[in-house]
Amino acid sequence: MPGDKSISHRALILGAIAWGETNIAGFLPGEDCLATARCLGQLGVDVNIHGNTARITGRGLRSMRPPQGVLDVGNSGTTLRLLTGLLAGQRFDSVLDGDESIRRRPMDRVVMPLTQMGAKIEGNFAPIRITGVQLQGIHYKMPINSAQVKSAIMLAGLYAKGETRIEEPGYGLTRNHTEIMMEYMGGRNLQGREIIVPGDFSSAAFFIVAGVLMAEDGLTIENVGVNPTRTGLLDALGRMGAHIEVKNHRVVCGEEVGDIFVKKSVLKGVVVAGDVVPRMIDEVPIFAVAALFAEGATIIQDAGELAVKESNRIAAMTGELGKMGAKIEARQDGMIIHGGHPLYGAAVDSHKDHRVAMALAVAALMARGHSVIQDAGCVGVSFPGFFGVLEGLG
């Protein structure tokens, strides 16, 4: 699998404000991570990327310089939100902007806590204008589960006077890659380190589901990050009856890694809600495809966050799978999927959302007839070689 997108972003950003050289192996050279690298370059950070490796020469928290022009995050919500936290405490002003999709994604969830820290930020949607000021630490109780919001506050906290404490909602923890990497790199006084990025679980998810639906002899996906805050999909599929094993479990640079073995399985419908949802929020599109082939109905609840991703993934998945004959209903916070109905090839639209495109590709493998996915090139955001890997599996 390609390198983990979330970890690749964080390795670039923390390496940029650490002392010394950070070398990243297994880096994901997808469009989102490259947007982070370009923005850091505009801020005076020495970033060199060669394929799946990256090297950042950091000179500490106060080493960045005012950018020349607007910082363009492209389609990357992670870049936008984390850099907003990073830039809020700088001694210079900056502007962050992105593509049409980014300009529709809400920023108030980040702006609110940063403003409580004393940040001066204009805009609840991109473009975001940030006036650098001295920040103050806060105790912030997060109203929603969002690793991006949490990470933005943590980055701002590095520049704040006093202690910053973040309390997550009680119904499930968000991914903790920032916490793990900060600790691995030495805490507040960050030091450059060697970082090995594991395979991206969210990319592996498409092959996990494909294997559960089709791999009679089994399929092994090697060197995948299995951080417990990310593996809700394995729990949900396990409850459906899927044959899944995590082998060769180990810890690399603070992150849990393993080889995932899956096999064609008989699935039954389940209700997915509560604390498992934040741990599989990016995998809901492909989980919905698995549910189409389960016996009975599957209900997904507490997943309203899907509506503000790269697309409205509730509307996108229910609409496009419906074109293929799926019996699937949209809800405000999720969907109801009625399994056991055949799919038929159709012309479908990715909505320029990488995870929607890849989920539709797996659905198309199970459909009778020919399918065409419009704007499928968007998979380059997180998995540039997706279709080649899929074809290579026969």
Side-chain angles (χ1 to χ4, degrees), residues 53-310:
T53 64
R55 186 183 72 250
I56 306 102
T57 303
R59 298 179 179 86
L61 287 176
R62 293 291 182 184
S63 60
M64 290 190 293
R65 64 173 186 241
Q68 297 297 313
V70 173
L71 297 165
D72 183 0
V73 307
N75 185 244
S76 178
T78 303
T79 308
L80 177 65
R81 290 174 175 152
L82 268 60
L83 288 190
T84 298
L86 183 69
L87 293 169
Q90 302 299 325
R91 294 168 177 162
F92 53 78
D93 303 343
S94 51
V95 177
L96 289 159
D97 201 0
D99 66 10
E100 182 183 347
S101 170
I102 279 293
R103 289 185 168 193
R104 295 194 302 267
R105 299 184 71 173
M107 283 293 290
D108 53 343
R109 58 185 58 184
V110 175
V111 172
M112 185 185 304
L114 294 178
T115 299
Q116 291 180 28
M117 298 176 78
K120 294 185 178 181
I121 302 173
E122 298 176 44
N124 284 327
F125 294 88
I128 299 293
R129 300 181 183 277
I130 304 166
T131 301
V133 295
Q134 176 61 59
L135 303 178
Q136 301 291 326
I138 58 169
H139 181 184
Y140 187 68
K141 294 184 178 182
M142 292 176 56
I144 58 169
N145 283 99
S146 171
Q148 293 179 1
V149 174
K150 179 176 63 173
S151 297
I153 300 169
M154 291 177 68
L155 289 166
L158 292 172
Y159 295 88
K161 289 183 178 179
E163 180 180 83
T164 295
R165 182 175 296 186
I166 306 163
E167 187 176 333
E168 296 193 72
Y171 57 88
L173 297 178
T174 59
R175 58 188 65 178
N176 61 353
H177 301 305
T178 305
E179 295 95 305
I180 289 172
M181 193 173 294
M182 275 191 176
E183 184 174 3
Y184 175 72
M185 297 177 74
R188 189 180 185 93
N189 297 309
L190 297 166
Q191 302 294 318
R193 296 286 303 269
E194 302 289 323
I195 296 175
I196 300 172
V197 180
D200 195 315
F201 181 86
S202 295
S203 295
F206 302 99
F207 294 94
I208 291 170
V209 169
V212 165
L213 295 178
M214 288 176 277
E216 301 256 1
D217 298 321
L219 177 70
T220 299
I221 308 156
E222 297 181 340
N223 190 42
V224 178
V226 289
N227 182 313
T229 65
R230 293 283 297 278
T231 53
L233 175 70
L234 299 186
D235 296 341
L237 289 173
R239 287 176 49 215
M240 296 179 89
H243 182 121
I244 301 173
E245 301 173 51
V246 178
K247 303 179 178 181
N248 192 21
H249 191 277
R250 55 207 187 270
V251 176
V252 179
C253 300
E255 290 283 355
E256 297 185 43
V257 182
D259 303 333
I260 301 174
F261 175 79
V262 296
K263 194 172 183 179
K264 185 176 180 179
S265 308
V266 176
L267 305 178
K268 60 182 179 182
V270 296
V271 176
V272 175
D275 60 3
V276 73
V277 175
R279 298 172 47 236
M280 60 179 288
I281 194 68
D282 282 343
E283 290 72 57
V284 171
I286 188 60
F287 177 72
V289 174
L292 293 173
F293 301 95
E295 179 184 344
T298 293
I299 301 172
I300 302 170
Q301 300 173 339
D302 303 322
E305 185 72 8
L306 290 171
V308 292
K309 292 289 187 178
E310 283 85 336

Side-chain angles (χ1 to χ4, degrees), residues 29-67:
E31 294 168 15
D32 278 13
C33 296
L34 293 177
T36 293
R38 286 193 299 271
C39 288
L40 292 173
Q42 283 183 256
L43 292 162
V45 180
D46 184 6
V47 182
N48 291 284
I49 296 173
H50 300 282
N52 296 325
T53 64
R55 186 183 72 250
I56 306 102
T57 303
R59 298 179 179 86
L61 287 176
R62 293 291 182 184
S63 60
M64 290 190 293
R65 64 173 186 241

